[in-house]
Amino acid sequence: MSKTVFVLALILSASGLISPPFALLGGLVFGLAVAHPFNLESRRLSKFLLQASVVALGFGMNLHQVLEAGRSGFLYTAVSITAVMFLGLGFGYLLSVGKKSAFLISAGTAICGGSAIAAVGPIADASEEEMAVSLGSVFILNSVALFLFPVVGYAFHMTQSQFGLWSALAIHDTSSVVGATAKYGPTALAIGTTVKLARALWIVPLSLVTAITLKSKARIQWPWFILFFCLAALLNTILPAFAPAFSILNRLGKIGLTVTLFLIGTGLNKETLKQVGIRPLVQGLVLWIIVGTVTLALILFHWIAV
């Protein structure tokens, strides 16, 4: 029965009839209600599909806009990542969270959620339990952000540019940044995706610093899909004659993202909630609230802008 429900829900998510937030909600309900029949396969597919969808979204963007958003968001990203890492480690110490879990939660909040954790976890020689706790903590908050951020954006009458920048700076995973900004508008989507991907590039220097500090020989994962995203935007910019085909690819990227969010949602279950525990979740929550409120205030008062 669960296999049938899963397949039908997957088809519905790929139909284009439901929005990314509802796909995530459906996945959450499924994951908490029944045992996942394809848990391992679902995780692998969601990772690949997220990267492929992001690349496809590049076919709907102008390279000049991508470069401008990435350039203007560079300084904010550098400062915020450094501040969040120090704050996160401090909160982890105060709350007696394990050192590696605290480090991974801080990295996930500072850069790009699960991708950052998956990249630096092996380098830090984190155990499966520490990885699960960190991923679970970040994912729970990431799911809340997808629903909460658009509500806050509308409440404060944020422009699409403001909302896109805020989402990129304060939402953990690329998938939820795209999901939230796509709901807010095309300009928000373009800015949010670009700044978030520029932020994701910081996985590499963080991995290098971690490897040097811990003298680890683990292989560093390079986020190659970001390069392909830029190439897609380049093709869309210099080959306007192919606009109809690029539009189809962009549409497929949005559908792929919706499916990705459904698959990610199905990965949250009762066992994950038990593994996370209260202290890592509090560390992640406090850190996330600080990041979200500070960046929101700075953007609303026009101290930072795209």
Side-chain angles (χ1 to χ4, degrees):
M1 181 64 180
S2 60
K3 291 183 179 180
T4 303
V5 173
F6 177 83
V7 172
L8 290 175
L10 191 64
I11 293 173
L12 179 61
S13 298
S15 68
L17 297 176
I18 61 174
S19 65
F22 279 105
L24 175 63
L25 180 60
L28 290 171
V29 171
F30 179 89
L32 293 172
V34 299
H36 201 312
F38 308 107
N39 192 32
L40 182 59
E41 296 84 352
S42 181
R43 289 183 182 181
R44 290 174 177 171
L45 178 59
S46 65
K47 181 179 180 180
F48 167 78
L49 197 56
L50 171 60
Q51 295 181 352
S53 299
V54 167
V55 173
L57 287 173
F59 286 103
M61 298 184 184
N62 184 284
L63 183 63
H64 301 301
Q65 185 180 28
V66 168
L67 294 176
E68 178 61 25
R71 182 189 63 79
S72 61
F74 180 84
L75 179 60
Y76 313 144
T77 298
V79 173
S80 64
I81 286 176
T82 303
V84 171
M85 288 300 300
F86 278 109
L87 278 174
L89 293 173
F91 286 133
Y93 175 78
L94 291 175
L95 293 167
S96 299
V97 178
K99 290 183 179 179
K100 290 181 181 178
S101 294
F103 172 72
L104 293 178
I105 291 171
S106 301
T109 305
I111 302 178
C112 58
S115 299
I117 293 172
V120 300
I123 297 173
D125 195 27
S127 65
E128 288 188 10
E129 182 180 6
E130 289 167 331
M131 291 285 288
V133 166
S134 306
L135 287 168
S137 176
V138 166
F139 173 68
I140 291 170
L141 299 174
N142 193 55
S143 301
V144 173
L146 180 60
F147 296 98
L148 179 63
F149 270 55
V151 174
V152 175
Y154 288 124
F156 283 99
H157 305 289
M158 298 180 75
T159 66
Q160 288 195 36
S161 297
Q162 288 177 323
F163 185 79
L165 178 59
W166 182 47
S167 297
L169 295 176
I171 298 180
H172 302 88
D173 280 328
T174 302
S175 56
S176 285
V177 170
V178 177
T181 54
K183 183 178 180 181
Y184 209 80
T187 301
L189 173 62
I191 291 173
T193 302
T194 304
V195 175
K196 191 63 182 180
L197 291 180
R199 195 179 188 86
L201 287 172
W202 287 80
I203 289 176
V204 176
L206 178 63
S207 297
L208 288 171
V209 170
T210 303
I212 292 171
T213 303
L214 300 179
K215 299 180 180 179
S216 172
K217 296 182 180 179
R219 180 171 173 267
I220 295 173
Q221 300 181 32
W222 296 81
W224 292 109
F225 74 99
I226 300 175
L227 173 62
F228 294 129
F229 167 83
C230 293
L231 288 176
L234 173 63
L235 291 174
N236 184 54
T237 304
I238 65 176
L239 299 174
F242 290 88
F246 293 156
S247 178
I248 293 173
L249 290 172
N250 181 250
R251 173 63 178 164
L252 289 175
K254 292 178 180 178
I255 291 175
L257 175 77
T258 303
V259 176
T260 300
L261 286 169
F262 168 74
L263 293 174
I264 291 175
T266 62
L268 181 64
N269 51 46
K270 296 175 183 177
E271 287 71 27
T272 304
L273 294 176
K274 290 178 181 178
Q275 278 186 316
V276 171
I278 188 65
R279 290 183 180 180
L281 187 58
V282 169
Q283 178 204 357
L285 177 62
V286 172
L287 191 58
W288 181 56
I289 289 175
I290 290 174
V291 172
T293 52
V294 170
T295 53
L296 176 63
L298 292 175
I299 290 170
L300 289 178
F301 285 104
H302 304 288
W303 288 336
I304 60 175
V306 176

